[in-house]
């Protein structure tokens, strides 16, 4: 199983980022389902931007560590807004993103590709 660990890290990052990004696209674009609030308050707008574009960067594995750290911070803040989140999911995202901030994106990431490319030049 140890030889599969790095690849499972990349798969976890990709799936978590995709599911997380959907929360942002719902807020900003009403996709895949309309967001229940028509005019987003500033906190929701900021969250939607962070979730959409931070999720996209995490999905690609680009700037994984700093982006994951920011996303973890957003989820830590969201935890203290109990009417705006689902509690357990927020905590899981928070610590999952903190894990990605410490480990990086794994072998299937643009970060890894850029590092390899830089070392051959």
């Amino acid at each position: 199983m140890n030889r599969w660990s790095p690849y499972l890290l990349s798969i976890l990052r990709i799936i978590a980022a995709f599911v997380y990004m959907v929360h942002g696209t719902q807020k900003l674009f009403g996709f895949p389902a309309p967001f229940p609030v028509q005019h987003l308050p500033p906190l929701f707008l900021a969250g939607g931007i962070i979730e959409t574009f931070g999720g996209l960067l995490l999905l690609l594995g680009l700037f994984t560590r700093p982006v994951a750290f920011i996303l973890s911070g957003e989820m830590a803040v969201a935890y203290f807004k109990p009417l705006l989140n689902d509690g357990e999911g927020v905590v899981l995202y928070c610590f999952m993103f903190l894990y990605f901030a410490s480990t990086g994106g794994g072998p299937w990431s643009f970060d890894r590709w850029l590092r390899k490319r830089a070392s051959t030049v």
Side-chain angles (χ1 to χ4, degrees), residues 50-107:
I50 291 169
E51 291 161 4
T52 300
F53 298 103
L56 179 61
L57 288 171
L58 194 65
L59 181 96
L60 297 172
L62 188 58
F63 309 116
T64 302
R65 291 174 191 252
V67 168
F69 186 74
I70 291 166
L71 299 182
S72 176
E74 183 204 11
M75 291 293 94
V77 168
Y79 180 74
F80 293 102
K81 303 282 185 194
L83 298 177
L84 305 177
N85 67 62
D86 61 355
E88 296 87 6
V90 170
V91 172
L92 286 173
Y93 273 126
C94 180
F95 282 94
M96 193 172 3
F97 294 149
L98 198 56
Y99 175 68
F100 295 144
S102 71
T103 61

Side-chain angles (χ1 to χ4, degrees), residues 35-48:
F35 195 66
V37 177
Q38 291 297 322
H39 300 288
L40 292 178
L43 187 62
F44 281 87
L45 182 61

